[in-house]
Amino acid sequence: MTTTLRTRVAIIGAGPAGLLLAHLLDRAGIASVVIDRRSRDEIESTIRAGILEQGTVELLDTLGPHSRARTVGHRHDGIELRFEGEGHRIDFAETVGRAVWLYPQHEVLKDLIAARLAAGQDLRFGVTAEGVEDADTTRPRVRARDADGDVLEIEADVVVGSDGSRSVARAAVTGSSQGGFFREYPFAWFGILCEAPPSADELIYSNSPDGFALVSQRSPTVQRMYFQCAPDTDTAAYSEQQLWDELQKRVPGTELLRGPIFQRDVLRFRSFVAHELRRGRVALVGDAAHTVPPTGAKGMNLAIADVRLLAEALRRLLLEDDERAFDAYPERALARIWKAQHFSWWMTSLLHVAPDATAFDRRRQVGELRSVVDSAHGRAYLAEAYCGWPFDD
Ligand code: DHB
């Protein structure tokens, strides 16, 4: 059986980018349909990163009481860079007068989904996009299949691929499912969640001879921590005691508060930017368009920044018949994307120990860390990027 649906904007992927886009379009009076192959429960329970830029929080404020970023999340006015056993605070308030919020991505997703459902959004879980057709016409189409195997065709004025790093929409834009600038790294992060209170008030990004570690947080009772590992590390390779030993030796000077570890994962490091972000009436946002390594927590924030631009471009295209902002979307989005690519790469190389690092490389790296923390300009550079570059709109 085939069902055909007609809407103005077909959005593939109910991640932060797709859901926020649907919300912003709705505020402008533009109808959309959002599909995602995952169940609502899977979307709301997958643990991802936890830092929101100030601009992200401000955009989420438009959800009204549905956004709990300011009430359940925590504002952080700085981070600590630690190296050679000493901590150096980067004070966001003092350097750039901005802040970040610690509020996990899956909580953002719960807020967005609740807001969309309350607004009567056509939001379909368990529907898998199989392809996007007719990108070069004014009636692009998404071909999808629901959980029962029935075909769903969505005809729209515009199709948006917000369907993550394994995007189906990307092929319609770049001509292949890969199609991009790509870089891999010789390390990954071993992440844990544990039942323990915070070991420190703020996040600690720690460089040590044994490799990098990040002491982050989730809530007053659950902590998130990561340490640098080889990309092919098996999550079962470490006992709980070995995990604590690995983490602790990389954060000298702070005694980590321990508790039962209830989740482990290995995060691969990749940098990717699609060769094209738009073709005809099909556009890509978020991880479908780009991936950054996790250091500096730019991934979700960058997706939200894409959506901010695209929502305005679609408003002008669909309500005012003005194509200019939609035509300019790739160029404008790419300016920020490449800044974030650079920042994520830079934070990564600043803090991690490459497997082939020489004694020279180690000393040079400490010199670079000192150049940042000893200089008001260095601290401000890092703080501005971390809190999110201001928008020019
Ligand atoms: C977290 C992840 C990051 O990549 C980061 O830079 C800071 C925090 C986190 O998951 O808490």
Side-chain angles (χ1 to χ4, degrees), residues 62 73 138 143 150 207 232 288 371 382:
T62 63
T138 50
R143 204 172 13 81
D150 290 331
N207 168 276
D232 56 358
S371 307
L382 195 155

Side-chain angles (χ1 to χ4, degrees), residues 48-51 102 189 203 205 214 216-218 224 226 294-298 386:
R48 305 285 287 271
I51 291 287
L102 195 115
W189 278 0
L203 271 58
Y205 287 80
L214 169 59
S216 183
Q217 313 173 356
R218 279 297 174 267
R224 181 75 162 148
Y226 304 92
T295 330
K298 281 284 155 270
Y386 197 93

Side-chain angles (χ1 to χ4, degrees), residues 70 76 140 174 227 232 245 249 259 273 280 283 291 306 318 331:
R70 291 181 194 269
H76 281 231
T174 66
F227 67 88
D232 56 358
D245 291 346
K249 75 178 175 192
V273 181
T291 315
D306 293 345
L318 299 174
E331 194 184 332

Side-chain angles (χ1 to χ4, degrees), residues 76 80 82 102 192-206 213-226 243-244 247-261:
H76 281 231
E80 187 187 304
R82 187 167 300 190
L102 195 115
I192 63 152
L193 280 170
C194 68
E195 285 168 32
S199 299
D201 291 341
E202 293 178 342
L203 271 58
I204 304 174
Y205 287 80
S206 185
L214 169 59
V215 179
S216 183
Q217 313 173 356
R218 279 297 174 267
S219 73
T221 54
V222 171
Q223 300 311 300
R224 181 75 162 148
M225 300 183 207
Y226 304 92
L243 288 174
W244 287 117
L247 279 162
Q248 185 61 73
K249 75 178 175 192
R250 292 154 190 243
V251 196
T254 293
E255 193 184 338
L256 298 177
L257 300 181
R258 302 180 183 199
I261 294 172

Side-chain angles (χ1 to χ4, degrees), residues 183-188 208-212 228-233 250 269 348-349 351-359 361-362 365:
R183 184 184 209 283
E184 273 195 287
Y185 297 77
F187 36 73
S208 83
D210 295 300
F212 171 73
Q228 176 185 344
C229 66
D232 56 358
T233 303
R250 292 154 190 243
F269 273 49
T348 299
S349 67
L351 290 160
H352 291 70
V353 179
D356 60 354
T358 62
D361 296 331
R362 284 288 303 140
Q365 188 178 47

